Amino acid sequence: MRRLLIGLVTGATFVAATACGSSDSPGSDDNDKASGGTTTVKVGVIPIVDVAPLYLGQKKGFYGERGIKLSLTSAQGGAAIVPGVVSGQFDFGFSNMTSLLIAQSKNVPVRAVVNGVASTGKKGADFAELAVRKGSPLKSAKDVEGKKVAANTLNNICDTSTRESVRKDGGDPSEVKFVEMPFDQIPAALEGGRVDAACVVEPALASIKAQGGTSIASLFVDVSPDLTVAMYFSSQKYEQKNPELVKKFQAATIESLEYADSHPQEVREILTTYTKIPKPLVDSLVLPRWPAEPDRRSIERLAELGQQDGLFEKMPDLDELLP
C-alpha cells in the first residue's frame, strides 16, 4: 500500500495550477485559515465542460453561503487528480468513475462524495463522442479496429467506452491502439493525422466539429444511456476528519448541479472563463446533464466493463466507494 501511494503521489507532480476560483495557492497552509471565517477548499478539476457547475456555483455564491471558498487547480484527467487527493494536495477532486473504480480496486482510500456529470443519453448528441477528422474513411466504431485513438488518459473511461462501442458495432476492441494526450491537444493531432480518431468531450468536441470533423459513435451512451460519467471525491481520511465541511461541500455542489442543469446559457457564459474555447464556438457545445444523484446501475456497468478489459486487480467495492 505504501509503495502504491508513493507511486500515485509521484504521478501527481505534473498537475499544474490555473487561475480560476481563488487567489490562494493550492499548496497554501490550509483549509480553515482563510479570512472572515471562510474555509478555503482545494479542488482538482479538468478544464472541460463537465465541471462548469463548480465555477457557476462559486459565482452565484452557493459555496460562499456555506462558508466555502473554492481554490480550483487544473489537471489532465482523473487519473492525475486521484493521487493529488490521496496525498493531501487537494481536499476534493473531480474524476471519471473508471479512475475511481481503479483506485478503489487497489485499496486506495478514496470515497465519492457527490455527483459530477452524466451523459445526455442521446446517440449522436452527447457531450462525449468518438470523433474523426474531416474526410476520414472511418465511418463507424468498428472501423477504428487497428487504428490510433486519442484519449486524455490511458486504461480509463475512454478506453472502456471506446471498446464497448467497437464491440457493439461488431469489431474487435482489443485491436484498438490508444494514444494519450490532453484534451486540448487532440483536435490538432486529429486534424494533422497523428491519430485516426479520438475519444473527446466538450469543448474539444466542438473544436473538432468546427474543423469539419464528425462523430462516429456516442461512447458513453453505448455504455449506458444514464451513465454517471464522473463524481467529486475526497480521501477517506479527509472525510473522517472534516465531516461537516464535506456535508457543506455536498450541499453546495448539489445546488450548483441543479442550477447548471436548468440554466444552460449561464453555463455557456462561464465556460469562457476557464476553457480555451473561442466564444464563437460556445453556442455550438453539447452540454451534459448534471443530475443531483449518481446512477448506480450505470456505475456497475462501468465496473463490469473495466473487469472485462482487465483494468482491475480485483472487482471494486461500490459500497465502499459511493456515498
Side-chain angles (χ1 to χ4, degrees):
M1 181 64 182
R2 182 174 179 272
R3 189 179 300 112
L4 172 63
L5 291 181
I6 290 171
L8 286 171
V9 173
T10 302
T13 55
F14 69 88
V15 177
T18 184
C20 1
S22 167
S23 60
D24 293 284
S25 165
S28 64
D29 196 16
D30 227 351
N31 298 314
D32 13 69
K33 298 190 175 126
S35 60
T38 299
T39 300
T40 298
V41 169
K42 299 171 290 184
V43 187
V45 295
I46 312 169
I48 53 179
V49 170
D50 309 33
V51 298
L54 252 63
Y55 292 85
L56 195 54
Q58 173 118 303
K59 180 181 178 182
K60 302 301 294 186
F62 301 151
Y63 293 92
E65 289 167 2
R66 294 170 172 87
I68 294 174
K69 181 180 181 182
L70 297 180
S71 176
L72 303 171
T73 299
S74 181
Q76 182 169 324
I81 295 173
V82 168
V85 169
V86 173
S87 69
Q89 181 182 2
F90 306 129
D91 303 318
F92 298 95
F94 175 85
S95 174
N96 70 79
M97 290 312 304
T98 301
S99 285
L100 294 178
L101 290 167
I102 290 171
Q104 206 291 318
S105 74
K106 294 179 178 179
N107 296 319
V108 177
V110 295
R111 186 167 174 82
V113 296
V114 66
N115 202 28
V117 69
S119 165
T120 66
K122 300 175 182 177
K123 276 189 172 290
D126 200 11
F127 76 106
E129 301 279 338
L130 182 62
V132 295
R133 62 182 169 275
K134 181 180 180 180
S136 172
L138 308 182
K139 303 302 180 185
S140 71
K142 181 180 179 180
D143 294 338
V144 304
E145 184 180 307
K147 304 298 183 182
K148 293 180 180 178
V149 176
N152 68 315
T153 52
L154 300 182
N155 298 317
N156 222 285
I157 195 168
C158 267
D159 306 39
T160 296
S161 56
T162 297
R163 289 192 182 106
E164 180 67 353
S165 291
V166 172
R167 188 181 293 117
K168 284 190 169 182
D169 199 36
D172 184 351
S174 68
E175 293 297 315
V176 181
K177 302 171 183 176
F178 292 98
V179 179
E180 184 176 78
M181 63 181 67
F183 280 128
D184 61 2
Q185 294 180 18
I186 289 177
L190 191 60
E191 187 177 34
R194 297 195 297 279
V195 292
D196 303 297
C199 167
V200 285
V201 298
E202 297 287 16
L205 179 58
S207 297
I208 290 169
K209 289 178 178 178
Q211 296 167 355
T214 56
S215 164
I216 59 172
S218 296
L219 307 160
F220 293 166
V221 181
D222 283 340
V223 173
S224 173
D226 297 314
L227 182 64
T228 294
V229 178
M231 293 183 70
Y232 295 95
F233 70 101
S234 189
S235 68
Q236 293 177 7
K237 179 180 178 181
Y238 186 86
E239 184 181 30
Q240 292 165 3
K241 186 178 178 181
N242 304 280
E244 293 306 313
L245 183 57
V246 170
K247 288 179 182 178
K248 290 178 181 179
F249 179 81
Q250 288 172 326
T253 302
I254 287 173
E255 186 173 5
S256 299
L257 293 170
E258 292 173 340
Y259 189 88
D261 219 30
S262 59
H263 294 80
Q265 189 52 42
E266 290 187 49
V267 169
R268 296 182 191 280
E269 291 167 2
I270 204 76
L271 287 173
T272 61
T273 67
Y274 72 93
T275 72
K276 297 179 180 179
I277 189 166
K279 287 187 178 181
L281 288 182
V282 168
D283 289 337
S284 68
L285 293 173
V286 176
L287 299 181
R289 290 186 302 116
W290 286 289
E293 299 295 331
D295 183 87
R296 184 180 174 109
R297 180 66 193 95
S298 71
I299 299 171
E300 290 171 351
R301 181 58 182 153
L302 273 179
E304 291 166 1
L305 292 174
Q307 181 80 354
Q308 183 175 336
D309 291 336
L311 298 185
F312 311 132
E313 297 174 1
K314 66 173 184 177
M315 194 66 171
D317 185 340
L318 267 62
D319 291 331
E320 283 293 313
L321 176 62
L322 299 178

